[in-house]
């Protein structure tokens, strides 16, 4: 994915950061995409599938009585952002760098907003998604990528440059 400059933080992430300030003030050294081993690929795949099975999909209105609440799915229910936060938490505990575990906002083909976790690797950016148990290359998802967390600061967000991403996706 080709990133642009700093952009606005999603409102749900902003509210999450107010509740968990330590989660959103981590500055990391971005050493580039991780060299993904077969073991790490299996771990990422396992975490993606386990969280997808463990969390029952439910929208924020039904859970919290309001829209756009980003939270860990500790009650066993959540929406797409909650799956992402849990996957990020688990993979971080397994030694994956937060600079390569990036919350990403996309549009599905039907135009609906969605969140996925992007795992930056030397094999390309892989998407962990609550709608699919398989890890997929970002450019094979059918999503339009809008923005993601910055790789050097957990509270900052960068735009994703659509034109260049489309070009890069077509070349691969």
């Amino acid at each position: 994915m080709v990133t642009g400059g700093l952009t606005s933080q999603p409102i749900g992430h902003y509210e999450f950061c107010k509740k968990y300030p330590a989660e959103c003030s981590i500055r990391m050294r971005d050493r580039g995409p991780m060299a993904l081993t077969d073991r790490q690929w299996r771990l990422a795949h396992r975490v993606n599938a386990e969280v997808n099975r463990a969390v029952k999909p439910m929208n924020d209105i039904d859970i919290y009585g309001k829209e756009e609440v980003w939270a860990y799915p500790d009650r066993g229910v959540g929406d797409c952002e909650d799956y992402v936060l849990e996957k990020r938490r688990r993979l971080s505990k397994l030694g994956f760098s937060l600079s390569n575990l990036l919350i990403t906002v996309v549009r599905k083909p039907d135009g609906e907003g969605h969140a996925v976790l992007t795992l930056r690797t030397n094999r390309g950016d892989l998407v962990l998604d609550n709608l699919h148990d398989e890890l997929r290359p970002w450019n094979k998802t059918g999503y339009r990528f809008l923005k993601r967390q910055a790789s050097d600061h957990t509270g900052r967000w960068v735009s994703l440059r659509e034109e260049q991403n489309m070009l890069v996706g077509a070349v691969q």
Side-chain angles (χ1 to χ4, degrees):
M1 284 181 224
V2 179
T3 59
L6 290 176
T7 192
S8 61
Q9 180 181 27
I11 187 66
H13 191 253
Y14 172 78
E15 295 294 330
F16 174 81
C17 290
K18 284 181 13 185
K19 187 172 181 181
Y20 302 100
E23 295 263 352
C24 301
S25 59
I26 301 168
R27 294 174 187 256
M28 298 114 9
R29 173 174 278 160
D30 181 359
R31 294 190 168 111
M34 69 183 288
L36 186 68
T37 65
D38 289 341
R39 179 181 176 278
Q40 290 165 322
W41 189 93
R42 285 190 303 273
L43 281 172
H45 181 270
R46 187 186 83 213
V47 165
N48 189 54
E50 284 176 357
V51 172
N52 287 353
R53 282 191 302 275
V55 179
K56 177 184 173 191
M58 189 176 289
N59 67 49
D60 291 331
I61 294 288
D62 293 335
I63 301 169
Y64 305 104
K66 59 183 181 175
E67 290 188 32
E68 215 47 37
V69 177
W70 291 29
Y72 290 108
D74 294 332
R75 295 190 274 172
V77 295
D79 66 0
C80 57
E81 299 93 3
D82 308 338
Y83 285 85
V84 169
L85 290 167
E86 183 61 24
K87 291 171 188 182
R88 186 172 164 271
R89 175 166 66 177
R90 289 186 188 194
L91 288 169
S92 176
K93 285 180 182 177
L94 290 170
F96 287 68
S97 170
L98 290 176
S99 68
N100 290 313
L101 295 171
L102 305 171
I103 303 169
T104 307
V105 175
V106 303
R107 286 229 182 272
K108 297 189 311 187
D110 65 6
E112 182 182 357
H114 186 51
V116 296
L117 184 64
T118 298
L119 175 60
R120 288 189 327 148
T121 80
N122 61 334
R123 299 184 194 184
D125 292 340
L126 302 174
V127 170
L128 287 75
D129 190 346
N130 67 300
L131 301 177
H132 301 276
D133 284 346
E134 294 299 319
L135 304 183
R136 298 183 301 159
W138 71 272
N139 58 347
K140 303 285 187 203
T141 61
Y143 297 150
R144 184 169 154 241
F145 286 73
L146 304 176
K147 61 174 96 176
R148 75 178 185 195
Q149 280 180 303
S151 58
D152 61 354
H153 192 294
T154 55
R156 294 197 177 140
W157 287 70
V158 294
S159 62
L160 295 171
R161 295 172 61 189
E162 184 70 26
E163 313 79 40
Q164 289 186 11
N165 285 331
M166 296 290 272
L167 179 62
V168 170
V171 171
Q172 292 181 348

